[in-house]
Structure formats: structure tokens, C-alpha cells
Amino acid sequence: MLSLRYDLTAPLARYVRELPELALPHRSYRYGYVFRNEKPPGRFRQFMQFDADTVGAPTMAADAEMCMLAADTMEALGIPRGNIGEDE
């Protein structure tokens, strides 16, 4: 049998549920081609998804970590810090 991978979040939830001995907080970084279940106008059914998740963090520090990950990624792509979200 063949199937299409629709997103990267559901497999992570299944993984965490099936491994109760998993040390928390658990960080996961994944990327790959995934598919939409519909064909909205102006968008492709297949696209590349980059996913970063933290499961089971007891504080909001994990949220700050994700913000820094996004800022570091934008900077690596050539967008200087302080210019994210501004029109050029």
C-alpha cells in the first residue's frame, strides 16, 4: 500500500504517545515533502515543510527557544535581525 504524507505533526504525536518512556522535554526537527488534501487556488498540493517541535516542556522557555530558532533561521537566509516583518 502507498499513501501520501500530509504533515509532520501527526507522526510526532503518535511517536510520543507510543513511547511513554521518552524523556521529556523532547525536541524534534524534521523536514520533507508533504501534501495538502485539497487544491486551493494559487497553492500547490505538494510542498516542503520544515518542522521544529518541543513536547512536554514545563516552562515557556521552549516558546522562547522557538522564537530564537526562527530568528536564527531568518538571519541565516540573509534577513538581518530587526528587519523581520518589515517591508523592504
Side-chain angles (χ1 to χ4, degrees):
M1 287 181 50
L2 297 175
S3 68
L4 300 176
R5 180 166 58 169
Y6 283 109
D7 69 20
L8 299 174
T9 303
L12 173 64
R14 193 174 309 114
Y15 177 77
V16 171
R17 184 190 69 224
E18 291 177 0
L19 288 174
E21 68 277 3
L22 187 67
L24 298 178
H26 174 73
R27 289 173 183 81
S28 175
Y29 308 96
R30 296 168 311 287
Y31 67 93
Y33 285 102
V34 295
F35 295 84
R36 290 184 172 89
N37 196 20
E38 76 283 347
K39 185 159 177 46
R43 292 170 50 185
F44 295 109
R45 282 200 70 199
Q46 181 185 18
F47 61 100
M48 174 72 78
Q49 181 178 352
F50 296 87
D51 210 28
D53 294 294
T54 301
V55 178
T59 68
M60 291 188 297
D63 294 335
E65 235 175 54
M66 289 297 162
C67 291
M68 289 306 300
L69 174 68
D72 291 345
T73 301
M74 295 296 178
E75 191 172 40
L77 292 172
I79 302 170
R81 287 192 193 265
N83 290 346
I84 298 172
E86 293 182 10
D87 292 332
E88 299 273 325

